[in-house]
């Protein structure tokens, strides 16, 4: 199966919204659209994962700089349609992420993975991503 990865053009970024919604359907679609617009303004990019011409997955991309790691790539909201999982796409994505990070002058790749996402945690760990801390959150509008 031939899989391609490419950055989704900013003027066509709304194509990721249905997959965003599949990733977390608890967030209303209008809220997702508004947040995506704000994210784009802050430097968000998204890689599309394609089988033939079908968008089968997404991977958000942020280039960040933090004192302890320097310039790094932070992939987020990785989603692959269920019927395309367990086919080795994750390994191909990891290779693509490494090439992309190097092309952008990054020293590392860092990401967050939900505690409840056991498959995700297992995947990242098996691909040499090491946990270095805990991600905490405090909601302010409750």
């Amino acid at each position: 199966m031939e899989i391609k990865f490419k950055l989704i053009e900013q003027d066509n970024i709304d194509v990721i919204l249905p997959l965003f919604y599949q990733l977390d359907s608890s967030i209303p679609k209008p809220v997702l659209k508004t947040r995506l617009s704000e994210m784009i303004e802050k430097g968000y990019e998204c890689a599309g994962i394609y089988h033939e011409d079908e968008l089968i997955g997404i991977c958000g991309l942020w280039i960040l700089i933090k004192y302890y790691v320097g310039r790094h790539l932070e992939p987020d909201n990785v989603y692959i349609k269920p019927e395309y999982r367990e086919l080795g796409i994750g390994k191909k994505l990891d290779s693509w992420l490494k090439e992309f990070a190097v092309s952008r002058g990054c020293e590392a790749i860092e990401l967050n993975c939900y505690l409840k996402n056991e498959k995700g945690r297992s995947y990242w760990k098996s691909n040499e991503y090491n946990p270095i801390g805990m991600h905490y959150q405090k909601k302010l509008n409750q």
Side-chain angles (χ1 to χ4, degrees):
M1 173 183 313
E2 187 172 338
I3 299 296
K4 293 183 181 174
F5 303 90
K6 66 180 181 178
L7 288 178
I8 297 172
E9 300 291 329
Q10 300 293 344
D11 60 352
N12 194 33
I13 199 74
D14 284 355
V15 301
I16 72 172
L17 287 169
L19 296 182
F20 255 3
Y21 192 69
Q22 292 298 312
L23 184 62
D24 187 345
S25 61
S26 71
I27 303 170
K29 291 178 183 179
V31 172
L32 284 175
K33 188 172 178 71
T34 299
R35 287 180 182 171
L36 179 58
S37 294
E38 291 178 25
M39 290 162 54
I40 295 295
E41 292 173 9
K42 300 296 182 191
Y44 177 83
E45 296 182 89
C46 188
I49 305 167
Y50 294 88
H51 174 243
E52 297 173 357
D53 290 329
E54 180 186 359
L55 180 63
I56 63 163
I58 56 174
C59 178
L61 305 167
W62 298 92
I63 302 291
L64 302 171
I65 301 172
K66 295 180 183 163
Y67 77 90
Y68 65 89
V69 69
R71 185 178 179 89
H72 65 282
L73 175 67
E74 183 175 313
D76 74 354
N77 300 313
V78 177
Y79 179 80
I80 298 172
K81 289 181 176 180
E83 61 269 28
Y84 289 94
R85 295 176 189 165
E86 307 295 330
L87 299 175
I89 295 171
K91 292 256 187 219
K92 292 176 184 178
L93 174 62
D94 188 43
S95 292
W96 187 89
L97 289 171
K98 288 176 187 175
E99 288 178 24
F100 181 80
V102 168
S103 78
R104 295 288 180 100
C106 295
E107 300 177 48
I109 300 173
E110 286 195 346
L111 56 88
N112 291 304
C113 187
Y114 292 115
L115 291 172
K116 66 182 179 183
N117 184 355
E118 291 181 27
K119 278 188 153 186
R121 290 193 342 250
S122 175
Y123 166 78
W124 293 114
K125 197 167 187 175
S126 72
N127 283 280
E128 301 176 351
Y129 290 80
N130 298 308
I132 60 170
M134 297 287 291
H135 186 93
Y136 290 87
Q137 180 185 77
K138 181 178 186 176
K139 293 276 189 171
L140 302 177
N141 297 325
Q142 291 186 358

